[in-house]
Amino acid sequence: MGNPKQKWTSEEEEALRAGVAKHGTGKWKDIQRDPEFNPYLVNRSNIDLKDKWRNMSCSANGQGPREKSRTVKAKANSDAPASQVSTPQTAVPAPAARDSAAVPSTDDSSKALPDGKNSSIDYAGYFSGNFVEYEMVWYNTMIFEALSTLKEPNGSDTSAIVSYIEQRHEVPQNFRRLLSTRLRRLVSQDKLEKVQNCYKVKSNVDASFGTKTPALKAENQPRPLQTTVYRTTTDVVDEAGNAAYKIAEAENKSFVAAEAVKEADRISEMAEDTESLLQLAKEIFEKLFLTLQVRRVNACTQHSIRAESHALLIFENEPLY
DNA sequence: CTTAGGGCTATTG
DNA sequence: CAATAGCCCTAAG
């Protein structure tokens, strides 16, 4: 009676995604019970989670509704018994444009639905305006989700992960590169395990969602950088898209950036002793990386990059919160 | 008790 | 009208 269908909110969806990233698909009860997600999922049963996941993944798949085409309801007889349901599976041209959530693009003023529907994931609500971390967490979440969904016993290689994510979300041009950077970081943080060229989730990892840092206040942040790093190729028309283009271009020939990444990696390695220091190192790493990209666009010199590194090292000494 | 999968139906475009 | 999203039901482990 009093059951007018409860639409899923973006918070619930996000909690579910993160839950799957942490526990894996099929662990619906675990996800529902997990104190981390429970607050968002109090109104949902494990069955609801399963059903919702089914809906989310099939519509993101570009595949037809729920695996079996239900256009022919209730009279499915006289069908070819087997060897007939060849799912296309190949590269879907336009992977369901309904998911405007896409990749973390820091300024998403593009197409906000008038009624504020649940189509745009509100990470910002979770991470208090820290865009850098929010992008990082997005990558982590997608990686864990991909691995736990793909469930390959020997792990999945970069291509598999890339195509998994590509099928569900819009990705930037240099996505593969960014992703492998993230993968390497996760390996060095002992959250992933690399065998051959494949990545596996290390057991005993409390996954990406746990990396949220409540201590970071938006007001303390230097104000997010204006650059729009992520854009789809189809979106490259305005100056923002143009900037993204230049960034990608610059990145390709930017050995300097690679050096800086290594440097940042070393810093984070040293800081790995304590959680808070690690967090700090991540901050610095991401900031450095972002700054470098921006700098490249402005045709900066090695020299100024060095200076930037120094500035950031100084920044390390200052209390973050 | 939980999960996977099929089915039903109100809602949406 | 068809497609979809949320729920329900049931078999299987």
Side-chain angles (χ1 to χ4, degrees):
Chain A
M1 301 266 204
N3 235 356
K5 288 212 172 179
Q6 227 182 339
K7 283 215 71 178
W8 277 68
T9 66
S10 51
E11 281 82 14
E12 288 173 321
E13 285 184 12
E14 202 41 51
L16 175 56
R17 278 200 180 89
V20 168
K22 177 171 179 177
H23 295 275
T25 54
K27 299 285 185 279
W28 311 117
K29 198 64 193 181
D30 291 347
I31 296 171
Q32 208 275 334
R33 274 202 273 243
D34 191 323
E36 182 119 30
F37 315 117
N38 188 287
Y40 301 99
L41 301 172
V42 269
N43 299 322
R44 305 294 179 177
S45 69
N46 47 332
I47 309 239
D48 292 332
L49 300 199
K50 181 259 301 175
D51 285 330
K52 180 57 182 177
W53 185 254
R54 177 167 54 174
N55 283 335
M56 290 197 309
S57 40
C58 77
S59 44
N61 244 343
Q63 317 256 43
R66 227 195 260 172
E67 181 163 334
K68 275 198 152 190
S69 162
R70 47 204 325 262
T71 44
V72 265
K73 49 156 74 160
K75 48 164 57 178
N77 288 331
S78 68
D79 52 343
S83 70
Q84 205 265 349
V85 200
S86 66
T87 31
Q89 196 65 293
T90 41
V92 187
R98 70 180 282 284
D99 194 357
S100 64
V103 161
S105 96
T106 3
D107 81 339
D108 192 19
S109 53
S110 38
K111 44 215 156 170
L113 297 182
D115 52 350
K117 275 272 200 83
N118 53 358
S119 60
S120 105
I121 300 174
D122 188 16
Y123 274 97
Y126 281 68
F127 304 118
S128 318
N130 186 334
F131 293 105
V132 170
E133 187 188 4
Y134 130 68
E135 285 172 12
M136 187 184 77
V137 168
W138 184 88
Y139 274 81
N140 290 359
T141 302
M142 292 314 298
I143 289 168
F144 280 107
E145 180 187 315
L147 291 179
S148 57
T149 304
L150 293 172
K151 274 193 189 135
E152 306 201 57
N154 296 322
S156 312
D157 62 8
T158 310
S159 303
I161 300 172
V162 166
S163 66
Y164 175 92
I165 300 177
E166 268 176 355
Q167 290 191 1
R168 278 141 240 259
H169 303 272
E170 302 277 310
V171 299
Q173 258 200 337
N174 53 349
F175 176 64
R176 192 190 175 92
R177 196 188 174 85
L178 293 172
L179 185 79
S180 34
T181 302
R182 202 97 274 297
L183 284 169
R184 268 186 285 112
R185 290 289 301 139
L186 287 171
V187 170
S188 79
Q189 287 169 10
D190 232 36
K191 293 186 174 175
L192 289 185
E193 185 174 19
K194 186 175 184 182
V195 199
Q196 310 274 72
N197 282 321
C198 296
Y199 295 90
K200 261 196 293 196
V201 178
K202 252 206 164 154
S203 49
N204 219 12
V205 173
D206 57 344
S208 51
F209 212 71
T211 62
K212 74 171 174 203
T213 49
L216 293 172
K217 291 274 180 108
E219 333 145 45
N220 281 347
Q221 295 303 308
R223 138 174 75 100
L225 294 169
Q226 188 65 292
T227 46
T228 305
V229 182
Y230 304 113
R231 276 284 137 140
T232 337
T233 40
T234 51
D235 278 341
V236 184
V237 268
D238 52 6
E239 69 276 13
N242 216 346
Y245 231 66
K246 284 183 186 164
I247 289 172
E249 206 176 279
E251 233 210 332
N252 280 337
K253 50 186 176 184
S254 173
F255 292 92
V256 182
E259 253 176 57
V261 168
K262 273 190 222 153
E263 175 69 9
D265 254 325
R266 275 206 318 116
I267 295 174
S268 84
E269 212 104 294
M270 294 189 305
E272 220 140 304
D273 286 341
T274 68
E275 270 302 335
S276 56
L277 270 181
L278 175 56
Q279 188 55 45
L280 179 61
K282 281 181 193 165
E283 289 281 312
I284 293 169
F285 164 71
E286 298 291 349
K287 272 188 202 306
L288 179 58
F289 197 69
L290 243 187
T291 310
L292 279 172
Q293 287 181 321
V294 174
R295 288 279 167 178
R296 291 300 297 175
V297 171
N298 292 336
C300 68
T301 63
Q302 264 210 34
H303 192 77
S304 67
I305 291 181
R306 288 262 168 69
E308 191 67 40
S309 307
H310 277 124
L312 284 162
L313 281 177
I314 291 167
F315 168 79
E316 182 188 16
N317 291 327
E318 296 187 344
L320 246 192
Y321 8 85

